[in-house]
Amino acid sequence: ALPHDLSGKRVVVTAGGTREPLDPVRYLGNRSSGRQGYALARVAAHRGAEVTLVAAHSADLVEPAGVRMVHVGTADQLRDAVLEASDGANVLVMAAAVADFRPVSHVDHKIKKTDRDPDALELTRNPDILADVIEQRRAGKLDTDVVVGFAAETGDPDTTVLEHGRAKLERKGCDLLVVNTVGDGRAFEVEDNDGWLLAADGAELPIPHGSKSRLAARVWDAVAARLGGNVG
Ligand code: C5P
């Protein structure tokens, strides 16, 4: 049986990939399926948490039972939903793949094909939601106890990926960071995952290859340990 070590805890999980519109039919997107975020939400609910799942575009996944769903499209919408849901939450897990850039403008009619070469696509930066949350916490506006980020990196899992993960954890200022190796058919659009769970206090836990639910369980173990109290 699963421990009910998250009962009474309010948690927010993000999942899926944002889509940044170019026109009514086209967007800039990414390969996130949402599976890891959905697994995190499902496992947290099983372990007694009150869960809000902020879902950007995901594969056709079953909505986890007993979880409050908030569906969003763009990074901006995800940001608003996260900031609203995080108010009063104990834990935030940012598993969504948020677009770093969006088109400067999007038009309300379908962009036509013409005989001349297309214009270059002008992009602008999206807000870094994880960084914003950490900044709000530092400013005393949010009191989320544990903030978890995800990082998808390419390279050798035990050297390059781990180094990038450590650097990112420091840069982002979150409490835990799950680092996944991507590329070569890993992590995105597949059932299984692996990587490292890094903590701001220096702890470093390899996560063996396995289901996304098992990875989720490892993450909640680490979160529960940091929440203290009712750790089962
Ligand atoms: O810097 P990078 O995009 O690799 O960081 C990934 C982490 O930051 C993920 O937890 C992701 O959800 C979050 N993120 C964010 N806002 C962005 C980009 C990424 O919150 N604009």
Side-chain angles (χ1 to χ4, degrees), residues 49-161:
E50 189 190 308
V51 184
T52 300
L53 176 56
V54 180
H57 181 79
S58 300
D60 194 12
L61 306 174
V62 176
E63 291 190 357
V67 166
R68 185 170 81 97
M69 297 294 304
V70 181
H71 292 281
V72 296
T74 64
D76 251 348
Q77 291 165 358
L78 189 108
R79 181 176 184 277
D80 290 347
V82 164
L83 291 179
E84 192 185 321
S86 297
D87 189 18
N90 302 98
V91 185
L92 168 66
V93 182
M94 283 289 302
V98 183
D100 293 314
F101 308 107
R102 68 172 181 275
V104 166
S105 57
H106 80 265
V107 291
D108 56 10
H109 58 272
K110 189 179 166 195
I111 298 164
K112 292 287 181 212
K113 183 156 67 182
T114 61
D115 290 335
R116 58 181 184 79
D117 288 335
D119 296 332
L121 197 54
E122 243 196 293
L123 301 176
T124 184
R125 266 198 297 178
N126 271 335
D128 188 319
I129 300 156
L130 189 55
D132 288 353
V133 165
I134 295 297
E135 196 181 302
Q136 295 216 4
R137 184 170 72 171
R138 284 192 181 131
K141 290 180 203 149
L142 274 181
D143 53 5
T144 316
D145 302 299
V146 184
V147 178
V148 186
F150 269 70
E153 307 286 348
T154 53
D156 184 313
D158 294 326
T159 54
T160 321
V161 165

Side-chain angles (χ1 to χ4, degrees), residues 159-198:
T159 54
T160 321
V161 165
L162 191 54
E163 269 167 39
H164 286 163
R166 272 263 153 245
K168 189 164 287 185
L169 177 65
E170 263 170 51
R171 200 165 63 240
K172 296 258 179 186
C174 49
D175 306 301
L176 294 166
L177 187 78
V178 179
V179 190
N180 298 127
T181 308
V182 295
D184 292 333
R186 296 171 80 139
F188 276 20
E189 297 177 305
V190 295
E191 300 292 340
D192 290 346
N193 216 347
D194 55 59
W196 293 87
L197 180 59
L198 307 179

